[in-house]
Amino acid sequence: MSGRAIPSDFVKSVLQNGAGRYVCQLQRLTFKFCKSSGGSRGTRDYIEKHLIDFSRENPGTAVYIQPRRHHTARVVAEFLNGNTVVKNINCLNPDDIMKWLEHLRTRSGIEIVRLRKSQHTDSPSIQGVWTPWTNKDSSMNISDYTDKKLLEMKRDELTATEKLLELAKNLREKDMKKTT
Amino acid sequence: MASLTCRTNIIRIFQLNLLNRTPNLVCTRSFKRWKRPYLQELYKRRNEVGPEKPRHRSAFYNWNYDSELYAFTKRLNEDVSLDSLKKAFTHSCYIEAEKRKRESLEMDTDDIDDTHNEEYCKKGLSFLEECTKKKLSEFLPQVPNYGINSISSNLCSIETVSRVAKNLGFRDLQLCEEETDEILHDSFVAFLGLLLTEGSQQRCEKFITDFILSLLISDDVLQMLEIRNPHEILSKNFQGEITTRILFENGRNTVESAFLIGVYADRKLIGYSGGETEQIAEEMAMKDAVYRQIGLKSNQFNINTLLKSSA
């Protein structure tokens, strides 16, 4: 799969969360599990032992429990920005479930994608919009077409004549050294 | 291969039938040729019916309004009584719709609670405008009144406020007939009204700075600043005639033409800007001169002073 097909985005936050006050973005949790099957055992244990503590610590999150006969255990997280995340917690032990809930609790709800850069700004240019004259040499303001500097041809390499002249110069210098 | 196994199966069952005299049951294994047209038909019908109507969150099983309200107050860290919060979220259109619904079912309409959020709305709306204007003029003292008014009306506009309300969970909790941006705006404003009546003015101000004014971090202030007649503003503030001059130009009458136009007042350069035509560049240059005169540049201010002023 090419890089273009994989969704990517810049770092984002919901409503500058935390700039004013921090709002936990996880608004609703729904546990769906089976009362009898072995795959849901960890979930049942978690609900019995740790769920009350979790909701006491996070009163801003509404928690629902839905026993569903012979279904795989999963937790549905709804975020304030309207996104929903379904996490399969079948065959997980309470400790692992706790870790996944911590992951959901601290998320912003924005989809997890590849980040193009680790930083982002909404006003990237502090200098203003670029124009063809933005970084123009200010001496150009007072020069005109008769200026000899402007008439000079720009070259990356030395010309053959210049190379020969330099060679001759070097030879002459060597001769001078020998005679002294 | 498939056809072979299929045939043997049928023969076996036929023999069993002869011996046991059970009802004539023919079982075949084959490629399910009916399945593709069946799915195609289902797909076609789904497309004909169109997408499912968006349902309110309360239409689902896992919904407890009281605990949602409680979670809402705890989430935003605003202690208000749940009854008054319910009142702030109830729109008059919801009560009317409820009455109509009951009448159509020939039920009693007397026991419907008539309280709705109109009072809170009025209170909150006036305070929201007043508060943003006050805070902005404290924060941007150099910006004249017309600038403050246009920034605050942008921040208090229905689109902006409803965007904030949507991301704070107002959407699921409000009781209305049809969810629109106006209704979301009203719910937000009603919540402000509730904070004013139950809490204090200070608390309400804090709420507004935290959720409305903090938008200045990402939204462009210059975009919010509506300058209709820059020439008039400049001639009021500068002595001498306001003139414009082309400073540089490139590729006139081509696709990639560019102009840099400067604005002069009393022979002094007070602002300049580039553009692809002379008109655009002139307009932008005039605006640039006004921004410079006000001393406002795109998001070049420390928002923390604003956010912490009410902390």
Side-chain angles (χ1 to χ4, degrees), chain B residues 26 132 151 229 238:
Chain B
V26 181
T132 44
I151 295 174
N229 201 346
F238 288 96

Side-chain angles (χ1 to χ4, degrees), chain A residues 107-122:
Chain A
R107 266 190 69 172
S108 69
I110 297 169
E111 227 163 295
I112 296 174
V113 288
R114 179 174 67 85
L115 292 179
R116 293 194 200 174
K117 278 173 191 167
S118 54
Q119 76 276 347
H120 177 68
T121 172
D122 287 307

Side-chain angles (χ1 to χ4, degrees), chain A residues 14-16 19-28 30 32 59-62 64 66 68 78 80-82 122-123 125-127 131-133 136 141, chain B residues 57 61-64 67-68 71 74-76 78 164 166-169 172 206-207 210-211 214-215 217-218 248-250 258-260 274 299-300 307:
Chain A
V14 181
L15 292 182
Q16 286 79 46
R21 75 179 75 167
Y22 174 73
V23 177
C24 177
Q25 297 291 309
L26 179 64
Q27 63 167 345
R28 213 165 288 129
T30 310
K32 296 184 179 181
T61 308
Y64 298 91
Q66 293 185 325
R68 290 287 178 270
E78 283 166 64
L80 280 178
N81 65 352
D122 287 307
S123 49
S125 171
I126 53 165
Q127 296 176 5
T131 66
W133 309 282
K136 202 177 173 187
N141 289 337
Chain B
R57 186 63 184 75
Y61 267 126
N62 44 356
W63 181 258
N64 184 334
S67 55
E68 291 287 341
K74 290 290 170 192
R75 193 180 304 137
L76 299 180
E78 295 288 353
V164 173
K166 226 179 247 174
N167 284 307
L168 285 179
D172 295 342
K206 178 87 180 96
F207 192 83
D210 281 352
F211 294 114
S214 66
L215 293 179
I217 295 172
S218 64
F248 297 103
E249 65 166 274
N250 236 359
F259 297 87
L260 192 76
N299 292 13
Q300 280 184 34
L307 296 177

Side-chain angles (χ1 to χ4, degrees), chain B residues 3-247:
Chain B
S3 62
L4 197 75
T5 49
C6 185
R7 205 177 291 155
T8 48
N9 263 350
I10 294 168
I11 292 165
R12 241 178 243 156
I13 288 159
F14 182 66
Q15 285 169 344
L16 278 172
N17 283 349
L18 282 178
L19 291 171
N20 297 343
R21 299 200 174 261
T22 46
N24 194 12
L25 235 163
V26 181
C27 160
T28 55
R29 294 168 70 188
S30 62
F31 186 78
K32 294 177 185 63
R33 284 180 61 196
W34 52 270
K35 187 145 189 180
R36 187 182 154 90
Y38 167 71
L39 289 176
Q40 273 176 336
E41 181 62 24
L42 282 189
Y43 183 71
K44 204 183 97 198
R45 284 189 196 182
R46 179 73 255 181
N47 276 352
E48 272 168 16
V49 173
E52 208 174 322
K53 244 186 169 181
R55 275 179 286 175
H56 193 262
R57 186 63 184 75
S58 61
F60 295 87
Y61 267 126
N62 44 356
W63 181 258
N64 184 334
Y65 194 51
D66 286 333
S67 55
E68 291 287 341
L69 286 176
Y70 175 78
F72 178 82
T73 58
K74 290 290 170 192
R75 193 180 304 137
L76 299 180
N77 210 2
E78 295 288 353
D79 274 327
V80 284
S81 73
L82 296 189
D83 288 332
S84 49
L85 186 61
K86 212 181 264 184
K87 186 183 163 190
F89 279 133
T90 315
H91 291 267
S92 55
C93 64
Y94 172 79
I95 294 166
E96 280 161 27
E98 196 67 22
K99 270 181 188 164
R100 249 179 285 134
K101 206 170 160 189
R102 288 208 189 178
E103 271 161 16
S104 69
L105 295 169
E106 293 174 358
M107 280 166 75
D108 250 8
T109 55
D110 301 333
D111 59 331
I112 293 177
D113 194 5
D114 261 349
T115 50
H116 56 83
N117 59 6
E118 211 174 302
E119 264 175 61
Y120 286 150
C121 273
K122 270 182 199 165
K123 219 173 177 181
L125 188 63
S126 59
F127 186 75
L128 176 65
E129 279 166 10
E130 191 187 304
C131 175
T132 44
K133 269 179 201 169
K134 192 185 114 198
K135 286 270 167 192
L136 280 172
S137 50
E138 275 171 19
F139 178 56
L140 305 165
Q142 74 277 30
V143 178
N145 266 339
Y146 68 84
I148 294 291
N149 285 346
S150 67
I151 295 174
S152 85
S153 68
N154 250 297
L155 284 177
C156 302
S157 69
I158 287 173
E159 293 118 57
T160 317
V161 172
S162 63
R163 175 160 61 99
V164 173
K166 226 179 247 174
N167 284 307
L168 285 179
F170 280 74
R171 208 171 166 188
D172 295 342
L173 295 175
Q174 60 185 5
L175 300 173
C176 59
E177 195 182 1
E178 199 181 339
E179 186 199 295
T180 55
D181 280 358
E182 284 83 12
I183 293 281
L184 265 167
H185 169 267
D186 285 356
S187 308
F188 185 85
V189 158
F191 184 68
L192 290 181
L194 170 66
L195 282 185
L196 271 180
T197 38
E198 282 212 352
S200 62
Q201 199 169 315
Q202 219 178 349
R203 226 169 98 186
C204 196
E205 272 179 14
K206 178 87 180 96
F207 192 83
I208 291 169
T209 38
D210 281 352
F211 294 114
I212 296 285
L213 293 179
S214 66
L215 293 179
L216 288 178
I217 295 172
S218 64
D219 295 9
D220 194 358
V221 181
L222 298 187
Q223 290 278 323
M224 292 185 194
L225 204 64
E226 220 174 272
I227 297 169
R228 292 220 179 96
N229 201 346
H231 193 273
E232 203 174 281
I233 296 164
L234 288 175
S235 50
K236 263 183 208 166
N237 290 298
F238 288 96
Q239 287 177 338
E241 202 190 348
I242 307 291
T243 51
T244 52
R245 236 186 260 174
I246 295 179
L247 299 179

